[in-house]
Amino acid sequence: MKILLLEDNKKLNETIKKRLEIKGYKVFNYIDGKEALDSIDEGFSCFILDINVPNIDGINILKKIRNYYAEVPIIIISATVELDMIKEAYDFGCNDYLKKPFFIDELEIKIEKLCKIKDEKEYFDENSYFDYKSSTLCMETEEHRLTKKERLLMNLLLTKKNQVITYAEIESYVWEGSFASIDSIRSLVRRLRKVLKKDYIHTVVDTGYIFKVE
């Protein structure tokens, strides 16, 4: 999958590029807005745009992209806290927003969700699945509507199946940048475990959790 990355911080730009290439993506990275704009018609499956970049800002590039592609996912990454600018990004068709600083894992999760998970339902057992559209967890014949934090945690666990997820990653993704104590995280995991019933979520001592599936 081809990804266009526009980020004028050279170090962050290269870090994101390397991490995404490890995941198997083809990343075409730009620091200058005009150079990125000149390349938007080259068959990208996802756009990652910073707002404040040289020559042409990310919002104007977002508008141009939407003139060509109505459905291609666009993720805005920015340090801005101006609500009007963030609202403008959504108004013009961005699919998701990440405020700097953020964990690269967060960006990977958003890309996975927006660009790769095509089905509304993701099965993790023969008779068990999570429905992204309705935020419903179905365990055999029982359906459970998840709360927002339970849904975000389930999304994170499914995106990183059989991988260790740290407390910091859970705090950042599920609490969306707000502080969360270890006790709060453990309480949320306990609630989700009750719904799952089977022993999918395993504790990694002093680190976090792992969602184990075949």
Side-chain angles (χ1 to χ4, degrees):
M1 182 174 73
K2 287 177 63 176
I3 295 175
L4 184 148
L5 167 65
L6 173 61
E7 167 57 60
D8 68 338
N9 181 308
K10 292 182 180 179
K11 184 175 181 181
L12 179 58
N13 187 307
E14 288 298 325
T15 300
I16 294 173
K17 177 180 170 66
K18 288 176 183 177
R19 283 288 297 272
L20 295 182
E21 286 180 338
I22 289 172
K23 299 281 287 188
Y25 301 124
K26 294 180 180 179
V27 181
F28 294 77
N29 56 327
Y30 301 91
I31 292 173
D32 181 277
K34 187 178 184 307
E35 292 180 2
L37 180 61
D38 291 340
S39 303
I40 64 172
D41 60 350
E42 295 181 7
F44 292 101
S45 300
C46 183
F47 294 91
I48 303 167
L49 308 175
D50 189 8
I51 293 177
N52 298 309
V53 294
N55 293 318
I56 301 177
D57 65 71
I59 298 294
N60 278 306
I61 294 173
L62 166 61
K63 296 176 188 177
K64 292 289 186 181
I65 292 170
R66 282 294 174 246
N67 287 337
Y68 289 98
Y69 311 106
E71 303 296 334
V72 177
I74 301 173
I75 300 170
I76 293 291
I77 55 174
S78 179
T80 185
V81 292
E82 297 179 26
L83 292 179
D84 288 345
M85 188 172 290
I86 296 169
K87 182 179 182 300
E88 186 179 19
Y90 278 106
D91 286 344
F92 285 109
C94 96
N95 298 88
D96 215 331
Y97 172 85
L98 262 179
K99 184 183 180 302
K100 300 177 189 175
F102 55 83
F103 292 105
I104 306 298
D105 289 352
E106 293 179 82
L107 180 58
E108 290 178 1
I109 289 167
K110 290 183 183 297
I111 292 170
E112 290 281 341
K113 178 66 171 65
L114 290 169
C115 304
K116 294 191 70 176
I117 298 175
K118 303 300 183 183
D119 298 326
E120 294 176 348
K121 298 177 181 178
E122 178 157 343
Y123 284 82
F124 51 89
D125 194 312
E126 186 176 351
N127 300 307
S128 305
Y129 63 84
F130 178 59
D131 188 327
Y132 287 100
K133 186 175 182 180
S134 64
S135 298
T136 301
L137 187 62
C138 183
M139 303 299 298
E140 297 183 347
T141 59
E142 294 185 26
E143 291 188 356
H144 304 269
R145 183 70 179 267
L146 302 185
T147 65
K148 180 181 178 182
K149 282 187 170 57
E150 290 169 348
R151 171 178 59 80
L152 288 171
L153 178 58
M154 195 67 211
N155 188 3
L156 181 62
L157 292 168
L158 289 175
T159 304
K160 303 190 73 173
K161 294 188 292 287
N162 299 314
Q163 300 178 54
V164 175
I165 302 171
T166 66
Y167 293 124
E169 289 176 283
I170 295 172
E171 177 186 12
S172 178
Y173 185 74
V174 177
W175 273 261
E176 300 176 298
S178 299
F179 170 76
S181 67
I182 298 297
D183 286 341
S184 297
I185 294 172
R186 287 172 176 165
S187 176
L188 178 63
V189 170
R190 281 197 297 271
R191 297 203 305 269
L192 192 56
R193 277 174 167 160
K194 286 182 181 179
V195 177
L196 288 166
K197 296 183 179 180
K198 296 182 182 179
D199 191 20
Y200 291 106
I201 303 175
H202 296 253
T203 300
V204 181
V205 178
D206 297 328
T207 303
Y209 301 93
I210 184 169
F211 191 79
K212 288 189 177 181
V213 292
E214 294 295 328

